[in-house]
Amino acid sequence: MLALAETQATFRHAVAGEPSSAVAGLLVAPRDPIERLSIYRRHYRESFRRHLRGRYPTLEWLIGTPRMTALADAVLEARPPRAPSLAEYGAELTEIIAGPDYADLPPYVADIARLDWRLGSIAVEIEAPAIAITDLAAIPPHRLGDVRVDLQPGLSYLRSAWPVDELVKLRVTETAPEQLAFAAETVHLELRGARGKFGWRRLSGGEFFFRQSLQADRPLAAAAEQALCDDPGFDISAALARLFAEGLATAIHSPHRETQDD
Amino acid sequence: MHSQVVSSLGAGVGLRLQHLAAVIKDRPDASWFEIHPENYLANPYAAELLLEIARSYPISVHSVGVSVGSAGGIDRTHLARVKALIDRLDPIMVSGHLAWSTHEGDYLNDLLPLPYHRESLAIVADHINQVQDALGRPYHLENPSTYLGFADSTMTETAFLAAVVDKTGCRLLCDVSNVHVSAHNLGYDPYRYIDEFPGEAIGEMHLGGLEIEAEANGGEVIIDTHSRPIDGHAWDLYAYAVARFGARPTLIEWDNAIPELTTLLDEAAKADAVAASALKSGVRSARAG
């Protein structure tokens, strides 16, 4: 009798890889045990294919179901899930599709995949109560540069050398033309979602890097510096006013004073 | 309080994500709902809706990821996340499967079968003790649907379940449809299986739809798809089980090709009617039916 760990290792390999002669000797069924094993093999692949296709609808729309299915199988083989929460599995696809095995695909598909993944992720978030810009009034002006600002959890920032948001829009609105002129154009996207809904809009480069930096927990001064690198005319006062007016800020943290969020 | 609530429950239905908003909006006449916690761990919006529903309906938590049969141990991180949700919901029951789904950290997203012998019994019992200690609640262990068995099994499934109950004090979830599926696929008598089932430990029953597939060798295999109405053979077996063990909270499971909620509620009403008839008629009539 094999130890249970060895039995499960053999069974797992037969389900996720190829059945070996070793597994046949372990199994019993009224008819062919290997044919019965194929049910588990099929369920394994089909459940992950279904999941990944659901998380990457625009990518599948672009590359077609056969290629998407093959891609899902490749992701599953290279990076199988490590946790039983399937909803959290699949971000690995965005790395794999950017690799050399997929160099024949259009150059923007990796960004499409990132956009699909992030839209699905932010849509299930819940927005926190927003704070007002007046909350900054308690911070002395010379300390403002050290302040960190928490943003809504359903925000994501994505920069692409292609207008990938146009493709998502065509899919979502089912308005794809027979032919589409699609040219390289750098876009800075702010994605915002909550409670089952999502949307996006384009930002200026300065605004994008400012907000992206704040989301990465950089202090205001460093975020402004990032923005100024892209846009020397960046106006931090106006950008802060817009950030709070849009309800994106949920807490402020000052290293010099414990604020209401702490 | 929960024991009083549970004893009076009619049949409930599996609550899936696509029905959350409809339940909050329409407040359907459902006895109780069962959820898979894994669907809520990374979905704050769904968890928010679920907590609202839990204020109005009894909720049972049915994990598909605890993997008490894994030789390599249970995922304590996952268990802690499930416990956090359970603590917020205060469910009437918590359950999971006699199966394994993880190996060396990889998650296979299926409920894979176990051989039944002394080593697997010790491992499953140890893991259920860990789960019950962590959750601070009794765990209801569900008999699996299977397509094959293991040559080195030395115990029947019912003997294995009885031994687990004896070693852990856990409760059992008798999935009647799984009994029908496994009995057909492995070639044993489902009624004898029910006769041998440790009925006093049953805290819940399940019913789910199935599909029949032709096999290359001319036979038929039943697939536990949860994608259709309950099969007639499963209804008959359910009546027999209710007549034998008494009524238990019973769940209608439907996880694929999910219909309108009213279809599930109609199946739950049918389960209540079948149970009432079986209790009136007794075991002999239930089997004849």
mmCIF file of all heavy atoms in Angstrom, chain A residues 1 4 8 12 26-28 30-31 35-36 40 42 44 47 81-84 88 124 126 195, chain B residues 42-45 48 69 71 81 104-107 109 119 147 149-152 185 213 215-217:
data_model
loop_
_atom_site.group_PDB
_atom_site.id
_atom_site.type_symbol
_atom_site.label_atom_id
_atom_site.label_comp_id
_atom_site.label_asym_id
_atom_site.label_seq_id
_atom_site.Cartn_x
_atom_site.Cartn_y
_atom_site.Cartn_z
ATOM 1 N N MET A 1 0.837 -1.198 0.000
ATOM 2 C CA MET A 1 0.000 0.000 0.000
ATOM 3 C C MET A 1 0.875 1.254 0.000
ATOM 4 O O MET A 1 1.787 1.367 0.810
ATOM 5 C CB MET A 1 -0.896 -0.015 1.238
ATOM 6 C CG MET A 1 -1.922 1.084 1.245
ATOM 7 S SD MET A 1 -2.968 1.033 2.734
ATOM 8 C CE MET A 1 -2.018 2.014 3.857
ATOM 9 N N LEU A 4 -0.441 7.725 1.732
ATOM 10 C CA LEU A 4 -1.440 8.607 1.122
ATOM 11 C C LEU A 4 -0.777 9.746 0.338
ATOM 12 O O LEU A 4 -1.237 10.120 -0.739
ATOM 13 C CB LEU A 4 -2.367 9.176 2.196
ATOM 14 C CG LEU A 4 -3.512 10.046 1.678
ATOM 15 C CD1 LEU A 4 -4.459 9.249 0.782
ATOM 16 C CD2 LEU A 4 -4.295 10.674 2.835
ATOM 17 N N GLN A 8 -1.535 10.517 -3.535
ATOM 18 C CA GLN A 8 -2.044 11.807 -4.009
ATOM 19 C C GLN A 8 -1.086 12.462 -4.993
ATOM 20 O O GLN A 8 -1.524 13.132 -5.943
ATOM 21 C CB GLN A 8 -2.337 12.719 -2.808
ATOM 22 C CG GLN A 8 -3.535 12.203 -2.007
ATOM 23 C CD GLN A 8 -3.944 13.093 -0.849
ATOM 24 O OE1 GLN A 8 -3.185 13.957 -0.408
ATOM 25 N NE2 GLN A 8 -5.149 12.856 -0.338
ATOM 26 N N ARG A 12 -2.436 13.377 -8.545
ATOM 27 C CA ARG A 12 -2.334 14.776 -8.987
ATOM 28 C C ARG A 12 -1.594 14.880 -10.334
ATOM 29 O O ARG A 12 -2.010 15.613 -11.239
ATOM 30 C CB ARG A 12 -1.613 15.597 -7.928
ATOM 31 C CG ARG A 12 -1.328 17.049 -8.312
ATOM 32 C CD ARG A 12 0.094 17.185 -8.801
ATOM 33 N NE ARG A 12 0.389 18.517 -9.281
ATOM 34 C CZ ARG A 12 0.916 19.463 -8.545
ATOM 35 N NH1 ARG A 12 1.185 19.222 -7.295
ATOM 36 N NH2 ARG A 12 1.180 20.629 -9.062
ATOM 37 N N LEU A 26 -3.475 1.939 -9.107
ATOM 38 C CA LEU A 26 -4.066 2.449 -7.868
ATOM 39 C C LEU A 26 -5.578 2.444 -7.895
ATOM 40 O O LEU A 26 -6.230 2.430 -6.847
ATOM 41 C CB LEU A 26 -3.613 3.899 -7.632
ATOM 42 C CG LEU A 26 -2.144 4.175 -7.394
ATOM 43 C CD1 LEU A 26 -1.915 5.686 -7.275
ATOM 44 C CD2 LEU A 26 -1.695 3.482 -6.111
ATOM 45 N N LEU A 27 -6.158 2.497 -9.101
ATOM 46 C CA LEU A 27 -7.575 2.831 -9.240
ATOM 47 C C LEU A 27 -8.421 1.611 -9.539
ATOM 48 O O LEU A 27 -7.952 0.651 -10.165
ATOM 49 C CB LEU A 27 -7.743 3.863 -10.371
ATOM 50 C CG LEU A 27 -6.853 5.110 -10.251
ATOM 51 C CD1 LEU A 27 -7.040 5.999 -11.466
ATOM 52 C CD2 LEU A 27 -7.150 5.864 -8.964
ATOM 53 N N VAL A 28 -9.677 1.693 -9.119
ATOM 54 C CA VAL A 28 -10.644 0.656 -9.476
ATOM 55 C C VAL A 28 -11.936 1.320 -9.921
ATOM 56 O O VAL A 28 -12.296 2.396 -9.447
ATOM 57 C CB VAL A 28 -10.934 -0.304 -8.298
ATOM 58 C CG1 VAL A 28 -9.725 -1.138 -7.956
ATOM 59 C CG2 VAL A 28 -11.445 0.437 -7.081
ATOM 60 N N PRO A 30 -15.862 -0.122 -12.146
ATOM 61 C CA PRO A 30 -16.500 -1.272 -12.776
ATOM 62 C C PRO A 30 -16.017 -1.492 -14.204
ATOM 63 O O PRO A 30 -15.972 -2.619 -14.685
ATOM 64 C CB PRO A 30 -17.982 -0.912 -12.738
ATOM 65 C CG PRO A 30 -18.112 0.026 -11.588
ATOM 66 C CD PRO A 30 -16.839 0.811 -11.592
ATOM 67 N N ARG A 31 -15.661 -0.411 -14.887
ATOM 68 C CA ARG A 31 -15.145 -0.552 -16.246
ATOM 69 C C ARG A 31 -13.703 -0.019 -16.280
ATOM 70 O O ARG A 31 -12.910 -0.442 -15.484
ATOM 71 C CB ARG A 31 -16.077 0.149 -17.227
ATOM 72 C CG ARG A 31 -17.464 -0.535 -17.286
ATOM 73 C CD ARG A 31 -18.439 0.227 -18.144
ATOM 74 N NE ARG A 31 -19.766 -0.354 -18.074
ATOM 75 C CZ ARG A 31 -20.263 -1.231 -18.954
ATOM 76 N NH1 ARG A 31 -19.558 -1.608 -19.993
ATOM 77 N NH2 ARG A 31 -21.497 -1.703 -18.804
ATOM 78 N N GLU A 35 -10.444 5.729 -18.038
ATOM 79 C CA GLU A 35 -11.482 6.563 -18.645
ATOM 80 C C GLU A 35 -12.184 7.400 -17.570
ATOM 81 O O GLU A 35 -12.519 8.564 -17.792
ATOM 82 C CB GLU A 35 -12.496 5.696 -19.396
ATOM 83 C CG GLU A 35 -13.496 6.538 -20.178
ATOM 84 C CD GLU A 35 -14.421 5.703 -21.038
ATOM 85 O OE1 GLU A 35 -14.231 4.478 -21.120
ATOM 86 O OE2 GLU A 35 -15.346 6.287 -21.641
ATOM 87 N N ARG A 36 -12.378 6.774 -16.413
ATOM 88 C CA ARG A 36 -12.982 7.541 -15.299
ATOM 89 C C ARG A 36 -12.040 8.655 -14.824
ATOM 90 O O ARG A 36 -12.483 9.745 -14.480
ATOM 91 C CB ARG A 36 -13.305 6.600 -14.145
ATOM 92 C CG ARG A 36 -14.401 5.598 -14.468
ATOM 93 C CD ARG A 36 -15.751 6.288 -14.582
ATOM 94 N NE ARG A 36 -16.809 5.380 -14.947
ATOM 95 C CZ ARG A 36 -17.479 4.615 -14.080
ATOM 96 N NH1 ARG A 36 -17.170 4.664 -12.811
ATOM 97 N NH2 ARG A 36 -18.439 3.826 -14.500
ATOM 98 N N TYR A 40 -11.863 13.597 -14.187
ATOM 99 C CA TYR A 40 -11.164 14.550 -13.318
ATOM 100 C C TYR A 40 -10.209 15.424 -14.133
ATOM 101 O O TYR A 40 -10.074 16.612 -13.868
ATOM 102 C CB TYR A 40 -10.388 13.814 -12.220
ATOM 103 C CG TYR A 40 -11.268 13.070 -11.256
ATOM 104 C CD1 TYR A 40 -11.462 11.697 -11.374
ATOM 105 C CD2 TYR A 40 -11.925 13.735 -10.228
ATOM 106 C CE1 TYR A 40 -12.268 11.002 -10.486
ATOM 107 C CE2 TYR A 40 -12.739 13.054 -9.330
ATOM 108 C CZ TYR A 40 -12.906 11.680 -9.476
ATOM 109 O OH TYR A 40 -13.718 11.001 -8.590
ATOM 110 N N ARG A 42 -10.527 16.343 -17.213
ATOM 111 C CA ARG A 42 -11.336 17.307 -17.982
ATOM 112 C C ARG A 42 -11.852 18.414 -17.065
ATOM 113 O O ARG A 42 -11.777 19.606 -17.416
ATOM 114 C CB ARG A 42 -12.506 16.548 -18.613
ATOM 115 C CG ARG A 42 -13.355 17.373 -19.552
ATOM 116 C CD ARG A 42 -14.480 16.527 -20.107
ATOM 117 N NE ARG A 42 -15.512 16.279 -19.120
ATOM 118 C CZ ARG A 42 -16.325 15.222 -19.124
ATOM 119 N NH1 ARG A 42 -16.202 14.280 -20.058
ATOM 120 N NH2 ARG A 42 -17.264 15.086 -18.215
ATOM 121 N N TYR A 44 -10.602 19.512 -14.339
ATOM 122 C CA TYR A 44 -9.479 20.359 -13.932
ATOM 123 C C TYR A 44 -9.227 21.453 -14.967
ATOM 124 O O TYR A 44 -9.191 22.646 -14.645
ATOM 125 C CB TYR A 44 -8.245 19.470 -13.757
ATOM 126 C CG TYR A 44 -6.957 20.176 -13.436
ATOM 127 C CD1 TYR A 44 -6.760 20.770 -12.198
ATOM 128 C CD2 TYR A 44 -5.918 20.219 -14.365
ATOM 129 C CE1 TYR A 44 -5.570 21.395 -11.902
ATOM 130 C CE2 TYR A 44 -4.726 20.853 -14.073
ATOM 131 C CZ TYR A 44 -4.557 21.444 -12.839
ATOM 132 O OH TYR A 44 -3.369 22.072 -12.547
ATOM 133 N N SER A 47 -12.476 23.889 -15.691
ATOM 134 C CA SER A 47 -12.843 24.872 -14.665
ATOM 135 C C SER A 47 -11.920 26.082 -14.727
ATOM 136 O O SER A 47 -12.367 27.224 -14.581
ATOM 137 C CB SER A 47 -12.807 24.234 -13.280
ATOM 138 O OG SER A 47 -11.489 23.913 -12.889
ATOM 139 N N PRO A 81 -2.704 27.540 -9.493
ATOM 140 C CA PRO A 81 -3.121 28.337 -8.329
ATOM 141 C C PRO A 81 -2.588 27.771 -7.035
ATOM 142 O O PRO A 81 -2.413 26.559 -6.901
ATOM 143 C CB PRO A 81 -4.654 28.277 -8.383
ATOM 144 C CG PRO A 81 -4.970 27.095 -9.198
ATOM 145 C CD PRO A 81 -3.843 26.910 -10.165
ATOM 146 N N ARG A 82 -2.350 28.646 -6.090
ATOM 147 C CA ARG A 82 -1.794 28.239 -4.801
ATOM 148 C C ARG A 82 -2.790 28.445 -3.663
ATOM 149 O O ARG A 82 -2.431 28.246 -2.505
ATOM 150 C CB ARG A 82 -0.525 29.047 -4.502
ATOM 151 C CG ARG A 82 0.560 28.913 -5.563
ATOM 152 C CD ARG A 82 1.272 27.584 -5.494
ATOM 153 N NE ARG A 82 2.078 27.471 -4.308
ATOM 154 C CZ ARG A 82 2.744 26.365 -3.980
ATOM 155 N NH1 ARG A 82 2.682 25.289 -4.765
ATOM 156 N NH2 ARG A 82 3.472 26.312 -2.879
ATOM 157 N N ALA A 83 -3.999 28.872 -3.977
ATOM 158 C CA ALA A 83 -4.989 29.098 -2.916
ATOM 159 C C ALA A 83 -6.364 28.716 -3.422
ATOM 160 O O ALA A 83 -6.626 28.783 -4.632
ATOM 161 C CB ALA A 83 -4.966 30.554 -2.490
ATOM 162 N N PRO A 84 -7.247 28.303 -2.516
ATOM 163 C CA PRO A 84 -8.580 27.857 -2.930
ATOM 164 C C PRO A 84 -9.566 28.974 -3.263
ATOM 165 O O PRO A 84 -10.732 28.700 -3.440
ATOM 166 C CB PRO A 84 -9.076 27.061 -1.712
ATOM 167 C CG PRO A 84 -7.912 26.885 -0.824
ATOM 168 C CD PRO A 84 -7.000 28.023 -1.103
ATOM 169 N N GLU A 88 -9.108 34.935 -7.028
ATOM 170 C CA GLU A 88 -7.823 35.638 -6.937
ATOM 171 C C GLU A 88 -6.789 35.079 -7.908
ATOM 172 O O GLU A 88 -5.673 35.582 -7.977
ATOM 173 C CB GLU A 88 -7.284 35.531 -5.505
ATOM 174 C CG GLU A 88 -8.121 36.288 -4.513
ATOM 175 C CD GLU A 88 -7.813 35.901 -3.072
ATOM 176 O OE1 GLU A 88 -8.101 34.760 -2.682
ATOM 177 O OE2 GLU A 88 -7.304 36.753 -2.340
ATOM 178 N N VAL A 124 -15.365 44.721 -7.847
ATOM 179 C CA VAL A 124 -15.922 44.079 -6.653
ATOM 180 C C VAL A 124 -15.528 44.810 -5.378
ATOM 181 O O VAL A 124 -15.819 44.342 -4.277
ATOM 182 C CB VAL A 124 -15.497 42.593 -6.564
ATOM 183 C CG1 VAL A 124 -15.977 41.827 -7.784
ATOM 184 C CG2 VAL A 124 -13.987 42.457 -6.398
ATOM 185 N N ILE A 126 -15.474 48.008 -2.574
ATOM 186 C CA ILE A 126 -16.461 48.888 -1.942
ATOM 187 C C ILE A 126 -15.764 50.211 -1.654
ATOM 188 O O ILE A 126 -14.686 50.225 -1.066
ATOM 189 C CB ILE A 126 -16.968 48.282 -0.625
ATOM 190 C CG1 ILE A 126 -17.668 46.959 -0.894
ATOM 191 C CG2 ILE A 126 -17.910 49.247 0.078
ATOM 192 C CD1 ILE A 126 -18.022 46.220 0.381
ATOM 193 N N ARG A 195 -18.849 48.086 -6.275
ATOM 194 C CA ARG A 195 -20.194 47.500 -6.202
ATOM 195 C C ARG A 195 -20.725 47.054 -7.565
ATOM 196 O O ARG A 195 -21.833 47.391 -7.968
ATOM 197 C CB ARG A 195 -21.156 48.461 -5.524
ATOM 198 C CG ARG A 195 -20.803 48.702 -4.070
ATOM 199 C CD ARG A 195 -21.911 49.422 -3.312
ATOM 200 N NE ARG A 195 -21.689 49.334 -1.881
ATOM 201 C CZ ARG A 195 -20.974 50.205 -1.185
ATOM 202 N NH1 ARG A 195 -20.423 51.248 -1.782
ATOM 203 N NH2 ARG A 195 -20.813 50.030 0.113
ATOM 204 N N ALA B 42 -12.418 37.203 -1.787
ATOM 205 C CA ALA B 42 -11.777 38.267 -2.565
ATOM 206 C C ALA B 42 -12.813 39.145 -3.239
ATOM 207 O O ALA B 42 -12.541 39.764 -4.264
ATOM 208 C CB ALA B 42 -10.844 37.652 -3.615
ATOM 209 N N ASN B 43 -13.995 39.215 -2.650
ATOM 210 C CA ASN B 43 -15.070 39.985 -3.273
ATOM 211 C C ASN B 43 -15.804 40.782 -2.192
ATOM 212 O O ASN B 43 -16.841 40.360 -1.676
ATOM 213 C CB ASN B 43 -16.041 39.028 -3.991
ATOM 214 C CG ASN B 43 -17.030 39.745 -4.891
ATOM 215 O OD1 ASN B 43 -17.389 40.894 -4.618
ATOM 216 N ND2 ASN B 43 -17.469 39.074 -5.934
ATOM 217 N N PRO B 44 -15.240 41.943 -1.838
ATOM 218 C CA PRO B 44 -15.846 42.722 -0.751
ATOM 219 C C PRO B 44 -17.298 43.108 -1.026
ATOM 220 O O PRO B 44 -18.115 43.151 -0.097
ATOM 221 C CB PRO B 44 -14.952 43.966 -0.677
ATOM 222 C CG PRO B 44 -13.664 43.561 -1.306
ATOM 223 C CD PRO B 44 -14.006 42.555 -2.364
ATOM 224 N N TYR B 45 -17.606 43.374 -2.289
ATOM 225 C CA TYR B 45 -18.989 43.772 -2.629
ATOM 226 C C TYR B 45 -19.954 42.619 -2.358
ATOM 227 O O TYR B 45 -21.006 42.803 -1.728
ATOM 228 C CB TYR B 45 -19.038 44.193 -4.096
ATOM 229 C CG TYR B 45 -20.420 44.519 -4.602
ATOM 230 C CD1 TYR B 45 -21.295 45.325 -3.867
ATOM 231 C CD2 TYR B 45 -20.867 44.030 -5.831
ATOM 232 C CE1 TYR B 45 -22.564 45.632 -4.339
ATOM 233 C CE2 TYR B 45 -22.127 44.329 -6.313
ATOM 234 C CZ TYR B 45 -22.977 45.131 -5.559
ATOM 235 O OH TYR B 45 -24.232 45.419 -6.032
ATOM 236 N N GLU B 48 -20.435 42.161 1.291
ATOM 237 C CA GLU B 48 -21.338 43.178 1.845
ATOM 238 C C GLU B 48 -22.801 42.787 1.619
ATOM 239 O O GLU B 48 -23.640 42.883 2.532
ATOM 240 C CB GLU B 48 -21.039 44.520 1.169
ATOM 241 C CG GLU B 48 -21.915 45.660 1.642
ATOM 242 C CD GLU B 48 -21.663 46.933 0.839
ATOM 243 O OE1 GLU B 48 -21.923 46.937 -0.394
ATOM 244 O OE2 GLU B 48 -21.218 47.921 1.433
ATOM 245 N N GLY B 69 -8.798 16.088 3.278
ATOM 246 C CA GLY B 69 -8.172 14.831 2.893
ATOM 247 C C GLY B 69 -6.753 14.960 2.367
ATOM 248 O O GLY B 69 -6.146 13.956 1.977
ATOM 249 N N ALA B 71 -2.973 14.876 2.272
ATOM 250 C CA ALA B 71 -1.934 14.277 3.114
ATOM 251 C C ALA B 71 -0.938 15.329 3.594
ATOM 252 O O ALA B 71 -0.320 15.173 4.651
ATOM 253 C CB ALA B 71 -1.214 13.175 2.352
ATOM 254 N N ARG B 81 -8.985 32.626 6.845
ATOM 255 C CA ARG B 81 -9.844 33.544 6.071
ATOM 256 C C ARG B 81 -11.304 33.096 6.121
ATOM 257 O O ARG B 81 -12.216 33.906 6.220
ATOM 258 C CB ARG B 81 -9.357 33.615 4.621
ATOM 259 C CG ARG B 81 -7.961 34.195 4.472
ATOM 260 C CD ARG B 81 -7.527 34.179 3.013
ATOM 261 N NE ARG B 81 -8.150 35.251 2.251
ATOM 262 C CZ ARG B 81 -8.083 35.356 0.928
ATOM 263 N NH1 ARG B 81 -7.440 34.447 0.221
ATOM 264 N NH2 ARG B 81 -8.660 36.358 0.304
ATOM 265 N N GLU B 104 0.870 19.792 -2.189
ATOM 266 C CA GLU B 104 2.118 20.562 -2.130
ATOM 267 C C GLU B 104 1.875 22.034 -2.458
ATOM 268 O O GLU B 104 2.647 22.660 -3.189
ATOM 269 C CB GLU B 104 3.164 19.946 -3.064
ATOM 270 C CG GLU B 104 3.630 18.569 -2.585
ATOM 271 C CD GLU B 104 4.690 17.957 -3.483
ATOM 272 O OE1 GLU B 104 4.849 18.445 -4.613
ATOM 273 O OE2 GLU B 104 5.329 16.984 -3.047
ATOM 274 N N GLY B 105 0.777 22.556 -1.955
ATOM 275 C CA GLY B 105 0.480 23.977 -2.125
ATOM 276 C C GLY B 105 -0.281 24.331 -3.376
ATOM 277 O O GLY B 105 -0.818 25.433 -3.480
ATOM 278 N N ASP B 106 -0.352 23.430 -4.352
ATOM 279 C CA ASP B 106 -1.114 23.718 -5.559
ATOM 280 C C ASP B 106 -2.579 23.354 -5.339
ATOM 281 O O ASP B 106 -2.894 22.321 -4.735
ATOM 282 C CB ASP B 106 -0.578 22.927 -6.758
ATOM 283 C CG ASP B 106 0.746 23.474 -7.242
ATOM 284 O OD1 ASP B 106 1.094 24.610 -6.866
ATOM 285 O OD2 ASP B 106 1.436 22.774 -7.999
ATOM 286 N N TYR B 107 -3.453 24.200 -5.842
ATOM 287 C CA TYR B 107 -4.889 24.005 -5.685
ATOM 288 C C TYR B 107 -5.468 23.477 -6.998
ATOM 289 O O TYR B 107 -5.304 24.084 -8.054
ATOM 290 C CB TYR B 107 -5.554 25.329 -5.297
ATOM 291 C CG TYR B 107 -7.053 25.262 -5.260
ATOM 292 C CD1 TYR B 107 -7.707 24.377 -4.405
ATOM 293 C CD2 TYR B 107 -7.815 26.090 -6.056
ATOM 294 C CE1 TYR B 107 -9.086 24.320 -4.368
ATOM 295 C CE2 TYR B 107 -9.201 26.048 -6.019
ATOM 296 C CZ TYR B 107 -9.828 25.149 -5.172
ATOM 297 O OH TYR B 107 -11.199 25.091 -5.147
ATOM 298 N N ASN B 109 -8.760 22.739 -7.650
ATOM 299 C CA ASN B 109 -10.130 23.179 -7.932
ATOM 300 C C ASN B 109 -11.065 22.021 -8.241
ATOM 301 O O ASN B 109 -11.893 22.091 -9.153
ATOM 302 C CB ASN B 109 -10.152 24.182 -9.088
ATOM 303 C CG ASN B 109 -11.483 24.919 -9.156
ATOM 304 O OD1 ASN B 109 -12.079 25.195 -8.120
ATOM 305 N ND2 ASN B 109 -11.964 25.210 -10.347
ATOM 306 N N GLU B 119 -4.554 4.956 7.377
ATOM 307 C CA GLU B 119 -3.770 6.195 7.306
ATOM 308 C C GLU B 119 -4.648 7.378 6.910
ATOM 309 O O GLU B 119 -4.562 8.457 7.517
ATOM 310 C CB GLU B 119 -2.616 6.047 6.296
ATOM 311 C CG GLU B 119 -1.702 7.272 6.308
ATOM 312 C CD GLU B 119 -0.882 7.444 5.039
ATOM 313 O OE1 GLU B 119 -1.001 6.610 4.129
ATOM 314 O OE2 GLU B 119 -0.150 8.447 4.979
ATOM 315 N N TYR B 147 -16.117 8.896 -9.195
ATOM 316 C CA TYR B 147 -16.158 8.193 -10.486
ATOM 317 C C TYR B 147 -15.277 6.950 -10.464
ATOM 318 O O TYR B 147 -15.307 6.152 -11.385
ATOM 319 C CB TYR B 147 -15.726 9.144 -11.606
ATOM 320 C CG TYR B 147 -16.487 10.446 -11.544
ATOM 321 C CD1 TYR B 147 -15.859 11.636 -11.169
ATOM 322 C CD2 TYR B 147 -17.853 10.476 -11.780
ATOM 323 C CE1 TYR B 147 -16.571 12.817 -11.058
ATOM 324 C CE2 TYR B 147 -18.575 11.653 -11.674
ATOM 325 C CZ TYR B 147 -17.926 12.819 -11.317
ATOM 326 O OH TYR B 147 -18.649 13.970 -11.181
ATOM 327 N N GLY B 149 -12.683 4.294 -7.545
ATOM 328 C CA GLY B 149 -12.233 3.992 -6.189
ATOM 329 C C GLY B 149 -10.753 3.640 -6.192
ATOM 330 O O GLY B 149 -10.067 3.754 -7.229
ATOM 331 N N PHE B 150 -10.261 3.209 -5.028
ATOM 332 C CA PHE B 150 -8.832 2.897 -4.897
ATOM 333 C C PHE B 150 -8.649 1.436 -4.503
ATOM 334 O O PHE B 150 -9.369 0.924 -3.639
ATOM 335 C CB PHE B 150 -8.187 3.812 -3.854
ATOM 336 C CG PHE B 150 -8.037 5.225 -4.333
ATOM 337 C CD1 PHE B 150 -9.084 6.119 -4.217
ATOM 338 C CD2 PHE B 150 -6.871 5.645 -4.943
ATOM 339 C CE1 PHE B 150 -8.965 7.409 -4.688
ATOM 340 C CE2 PHE B 150 -6.741 6.929 -5.419
ATOM 341 C CZ PHE B 150 -7.785 7.822 -5.293
ATOM 342 N N ALA B 151 -7.672 0.817 -5.122
ATOM 343 C CA ALA B 151 -7.437 -0.609 -4.886
ATOM 344 C C ALA B 151 -7.028 -0.880 -3.442
ATOM 345 O O ALA B 151 -7.274 -1.976 -2.929
ATOM 346 C CB ALA B 151 -6.352 -1.111 -5.849
ATOM 347 N N ASP B 152 -6.415 0.118 -2.786
ATOM 348 C CA ASP B 152 -5.925 -0.156 -1.433
ATOM 349 C C ASP B 152 -6.911 0.264 -0.340
ATOM 350 O O ASP B 152 -6.548 0.281 0.840
ATOM 351 C CB ASP B 152 -4.554 0.482 -1.198
ATOM 352 C CG ASP B 152 -4.568 1.991 -1.367
ATOM 353 O OD1 ASP B 152 -5.616 2.528 -1.761
ATOM 354 O OD2 ASP B 152 -3.528 2.630 -1.103
ATOM 355 N N ASN B 185 -21.844 4.800 -10.322
ATOM 356 C CA ASN B 185 -20.526 4.789 -10.963
ATOM 357 C C ASN B 185 -19.616 3.668 -10.455
ATOM 358 O O ASN B 185 -18.753 3.184 -11.185
ATOM 359 C CB ASN B 185 -19.828 6.137 -10.754
ATOM 360 C CG ASN B 185 -20.511 7.257 -11.520
ATOM 361 O OD1 ASN B 185 -21.236 7.006 -12.493
ATOM 362 N ND2 ASN B 185 -20.306 8.487 -11.091
ATOM 363 N N GLU B 213 -23.389 10.555 -18.977
ATOM 364 C CA GLU B 213 -22.519 10.522 -20.153
ATOM 365 C C GLU B 213 -22.293 9.082 -20.580
ATOM 366 O O GLU B 213 -22.128 8.192 -19.730
ATOM 367 C CB GLU B 213 -21.153 11.150 -19.843
ATOM 368 C CG GLU B 213 -21.181 12.651 -19.751
ATOM 369 C CD GLU B 213 -19.774 13.227 -19.586
ATOM 370 O OE1 GLU B 213 -18.787 12.440 -19.656
ATOM 371 O OE2 GLU B 213 -19.669 14.438 -19.374
ATOM 372 N N GLU B 215 -20.028 6.122 -21.982
ATOM 373 C CA GLU B 215 -18.604 5.796 -21.918
ATOM 374 C C GLU B 215 -18.193 5.045 -23.180
ATOM 375 O O GLU B 215 -19.020 4.406 -23.840
ATOM 376 C CB GLU B 215 -18.308 4.953 -20.681
ATOM 377 C CG GLU B 215 -18.508 5.732 -19.392
ATOM 378 C CD GLU B 215 -17.968 4.981 -18.178
ATOM 379 O OE1 GLU B 215 -18.641 4.075 -17.695
ATOM 380 O OE2 GLU B 215 -16.856 5.320 -17.749
ATOM 381 N N ALA B 216 -16.921 5.097 -23.478
ATOM 382 C CA ALA B 216 -16.421 4.486 -24.713
ATOM 383 C C ALA B 216 -16.668 2.979 -24.730
ATOM 384 O O ALA B 216 -16.845 2.379 -25.786
ATOM 385 C CB ALA B 216 -14.927 4.773 -24.853
ATOM 386 N N ASN B 217 -16.706 2.390 -23.553
ATOM 387 C CA ASN B 217 -16.865 0.936 -23.487
ATOM 388 C C ASN B 217 -18.329 0.502 -23.452
ATOM 389 O O ASN B 217 -18.632 -0.649 -23.165
ATOM 390 C CB ASN B 217 -16.139 0.402 -22.255
ATOM 391 C CG ASN B 217 -16.577 1.150 -20.998
ATOM 392 O OD1 ASN B 217 -17.707 1.629 -20.913
ATOM 393 N ND2 ASN B 217 -15.670 1.268 -20.041
#
